[in-house]
Amino acid sequence: MGQKQPEERDAMATNKKKVLYTDSMGKGGIEILKARGDVEAIAFNYFMKGADYQALLRKEGPVHGVILGATPFGVAEFEASGGIEVVARTGVGYDAIDIPGMTARKIPVMIAGTANSPSVAEQAMTFMLTLARKGPQLTKLVAEGRWADRLKPEYVAVDMFEKTVLIIGFGRIGTRTAKRCLAMEMTVLVYDPYVKPETIRAAGCEPVSDLDAALPRADFVTIHCPKTPESVGMFNAARMKLMKRTAYLVSTARGGIIDEKALHAALTDGTLPAAALDVFDREPPDTENPLFKLPNVILSPHIAGVTAEAMERMAVEAAKNVLSVFDGQPRKENAVNPDVFA
């Protein structure tokens, strides 16, 4: 066959679906996209947003699919794309995506399903164990040569065995966290008004319908609910005062669910002994955040769901989610707004 003329090549190119994917995406997902002859895949910076991202969409348009990291996506991005058909994330959070805006335009928003839920559950357990076992304090004690202080009350650890944990949210991550807590012979309370009590009981846990009544019972509170108007500020000063003065607070969910100013006050006035956070009101956070100056806070940079294995699982899920929409066989179980397929 002879070489195709330029106009023929242009016609073929327009038949390809164009996908912009975050440069943090795992190799497995990129390979799936690039293996498709009918897809053109282009990387962009994980943190790109706003005018810069809209300019990229216009430059590369029409763009038919996006796979996002930290980049917000709303109506302005939709319009800049010139042809978006699916919005996907490499994670499971979607608070940076305008769900009503996408739903109104019949654009599915796809998340990575259960791909990172084991990793986040493991991080929640790591936080709880580290708090209970006084990890940072004992590291400092040894490094400073204060071996003789190790039996002082402030350095003596506590067991998780036979303690009570309150899990906020019983979705993909909350259920896995519950399994791990049950394996450690803990009593597991679950607060999730959107899950039937019998479902929670069937998992070996105790459903609680009144959060305020449950808080005084818990030795550990771990947050796994999505960020919604209802959950923003859920853990305020009043709620923290309901907790035991020996209880630990953990969040691997989203910033804003815990009132950071109230948490700082609780950690400095003795209301709570310690806390662990993977998420913050502002990300990246201000390095002058007062919480960062406290010795009784453990921090990580919104990375609970990011392990070598999880990144590959999430990348593969995200790529398959996008291609499923292109192929007319959407993976509805991974859609935040499945009604768009009706």
Side-chain angles (χ1 to χ4, degrees):
M1 294 178 66
Q3 188 175 6
K4 290 182 172 64
Q5 295 301 310
E7 59 271 17
E8 292 180 276
R9 290 197 298 269
D10 290 344
M12 289 180 65
T14 59
N15 292 328
K16 283 192 173 186
K17 300 287 189 181
K18 186 174 286 189
V19 178
L20 300 189
Y21 67 89
T22 171
D23 61 7
S24 64
M25 188 168 165
K27 182 179 177 182
I30 298 171
E31 289 176 347
I32 288 173
L33 293 175
K34 293 194 171 181
R36 290 278 295 251
D38 58 345
V39 171
E40 181 182 359
I42 300 171
F44 67 93
N45 183 271
Y46 176 84
F47 289 108
M48 184 180 284
K49 61 182 179 180
D52 289 341
Y53 190 58
Q54 292 160 24
L56 177 65
L57 288 166
R58 283 190 289 270
K59 175 187 173 184
E60 296 293 346
V63 174
H64 306 95
V66 293
I67 299 177
L68 307 172
T71 303
F73 199 96
V75 174
E77 287 74 22
F78 168 84
E79 292 175 348
S81 73
I84 203 75
E85 296 176 19
V86 56
V87 175
R89 283 210 68 248
T90 54
V92 297
Y94 48 86
D95 49 293
I97 300 174
D98 179 357
I99 302 300
M102 295 306 102
T103 302
R105 291 159 178 80
K106 298 292 184 182
I107 304 302
V109 176
M110 313 287 280
I111 58 175
T114 61
N116 73 347
S117 57
S119 308
V120 181
E122 287 182 15
Q123 179 69 8
M125 297 305 296
T126 298
F127 273 159
M128 287 189 278
L129 281 162
T130 304
L131 290 168
R133 305 301 299 192
K134 311 280 188 178
Q137 297 94 320
L138 293 179
T139 297
K140 190 169 186 287
L141 180 150
V142 174
E144 293 177 352
R146 295 185 289 111
W147 193 269
D149 292 342
R150 71 191 189 281
L151 296 181
K152 288 183 176 180
E154 62 266 34
Y155 295 115
V156 176
V158 297
D159 287 335
M160 292 178 70
F161 170 65
E162 293 189 339
K163 293 298 193 303
T164 296
V165 59
L166 172 59
I167 296 176
I168 312 297
F170 205 58
R172 298 177 177 94
I173 297 166
T175 52
R176 289 185 183 272
T177 304
K179 289 178 182 178
R180 287 152 177 76
C181 291
L182 289 168
M184 297 192 72
E185 302 177 75
M186 303 180 78
T187 296
V188 181
L189 311 179
V190 174
Y191 174 76
D192 191 328
Y194 301 100
V195 176
K196 293 179 179 178
E198 52 267 33
T199 300
I200 295 170
R201 290 192 190 95
C205 307
E206 179 187 337
V208 294
S209 58
D210 186 335
L211 178 57
D212 291 348
L215 284 170
R217 298 174 57 191
D219 300 294
F220 297 86
V221 177
T222 180
I223 302 173
H224 301 288
C225 61
K227 183 178 182 179
T228 65
E230 181 183 12
S231 66
V232 169
M234 176 187 287
F235 277 82
N236 53 23
R239 287 244 161 88
M240 291 177 203
K241 285 183 170 65
L242 293 174
M243 296 170 64
K244 293 180 181 179
R245 292 179 74 85
T246 54
Y248 298 111
L249 181 60
V250 168
S251 182
T252 54
R254 281 292 185 272
I257 296 173
I258 293 177
D259 181 329
E260 290 184 4
K261 289 182 179 179
L263 179 60
H264 183 273
L267 292 169
T268 53
D269 68 13
T271 298
L272 297 177
L277 303 175
D278 183 57
V279 291
F280 306 92
D281 286 348
R282 172 183 166 190
E283 295 182 357
D286 186 341
T287 55
E288 295 303 311
N289 186 323
L291 284 170
F292 299 177
K293 313 299 180 185
L294 299 181
N296 51 345
V297 180
I298 300 172
L299 308 169
S300 62
H302 200 153
I303 206 166
V306 181
T307 62
E309 297 86 354
M311 287 183 73
E312 284 304 307
R313 292 193 297 265
M314 290 188 289
V316 168
E317 284 291 297
K320 287 182 176 179
N321 284 341
V322 167
L323 295 179
S324 75
V325 174
F326 289 168
D327 294 340
Q329 297 178 322
R331 305 169 89 203
K332 297 179 183 179
E333 68 276 13
N334 286 343
V336 177
N337 54 348
D339 292 347
V340 300
F341 300 120

